[in-house]
Amino acid sequence: MTLGGLRAVFLAERAMLLRLLVARLGSVEEAEDALQDLWLKLETVTGGPIAEPLGYICRMANNIAVDRRRRAARRADRDTDWLETQATADEHPDAERALIARERLGRVEATLTGLPDRVATAFRLYRFEDLPQKAIAEQMGITVSGVEKLLHRAYLRIHLQRGNSGADIPQAGRLTHEEDQRDGR
């Protein structure tokens, strides 16, 4: 049978093909979409005469149904995975907490930009670039103890900045004037 003959068989057996696809896919709408795909796929069939045109078309319809079910299963798995990684409404902070957090972040960023260069460099390398203190010490040409002191000063400044907003601050932790001078301020 020729290609035009396949289309003729398709049109003659359309109702049976639709039932077959409904049985495979479980939905009339899905089956009609698959039937449309089958028609379009028949347009691309090349080759010689086909001895069993109805069997050939039924096998194509079955393959289309299997492909659609596999895609649906993959899509469902992907959607499930995506939903499992999303935070629930309970996990999102409310607007007030988000605003407070943004304000705190802004103050911390302002504090970080106001740090002396060496302190800021050590802090950024340690906290943002995740370098170990030993690597920071080698890079900056100081001892690990020196890096610890610089990090301590950075943490103390951030902590003091929080104190400006009313949080509890240990007064003994404030930098002395001499420490500020050593930091280059």
Side-chain angles (χ1 to χ4, degrees), residues 9-71:
V9 170
F10 174 90
L11 292 173
E13 300 295 334
R14 186 180 186 287
M16 185 274 302
L17 292 169
L18 182 61
R19 286 193 306 273
L20 180 135
L21 288 169
V22 168
R24 299 283 191 274
L25 298 170
S27 161
V28 174
E29 294 84 21
E30 185 82 13
E32 288 177 351
D33 288 345
L35 201 60
Q36 180 67 28
D37 290 348
L38 179 60
W39 176 259
L40 294 173
K41 201 160 189 134
L42 284 175
E43 297 282 327
T44 63
V45 172
T46 58
I50 299 169
E52 295 284 336
L54 183 57
Y56 183 80
I57 292 172
C58 287
R59 193 172 50 239
M60 286 178 69
N62 190 50
N63 290 342
I64 288 172
V66 168
D67 287 346
R68 284 180 162 260
R69 284 197 322 243
R70 285 181 182 158
R71 276 187 297 212

Side-chain angles (χ1 to χ4, degrees), residues 158-169 174:
I158 292 169
H159 185 73
L160 290 173
Q161 173 277 324
R162 285 182 50 202
N164 292 337
S165 64
D168 56 327
I169 306 167
R174 288 188 181 271

Side-chain angles (χ1 to χ4, degrees), residues 122-123 126 133 146-156:
F123 185 79
Y126 186 68
Q133 292 182 5
V147 171
E148 290 173 351
K149 289 176 184 172
L150 293 174
L151 291 174
H152 176 74
R153 287 182 184 141
Y155 293 133
L156 190 57

Side-chain angles (χ1 to χ4, degrees), residues 110-174:
T111 301
L112 293 177
T113 56
L115 289 174
D117 289 340
R118 289 171 43 96
V119 174
T121 300
F123 185 79
R124 281 185 168 73
L125 290 173
Y126 186 68
R127 298 302 291 184
F128 300 136
E129 296 185 20
D130 210 20
L131 286 178
Q133 292 182 5
K134 185 175 181 181
I136 296 169
E138 290 171 2
Q139 185 174 341
M140 294 180 71
I142 58 177
T143 63
V144 173
S145 174
V147 171
E148 290 173 351
K149 289 176 184 172
L150 293 174
L151 291 174
H152 176 74
R153 287 182 184 141
Y155 293 133
L156 190 57
R157 295 278 177 132
I158 292 169
H159 185 73
L160 290 173
Q161 173 277 324
R162 285 182 50 202
N164 292 337
S165 64
D168 56 327
I169 306 167
Q171 292 297 318
R174 288 188 181 271

Side-chain angles (χ1 to χ4, degrees), residues 90 102 133 160 179:
D90 295 341
R102 273 191 225 117
Q133 292 182 5
L160 290 173
E179 288 174 319

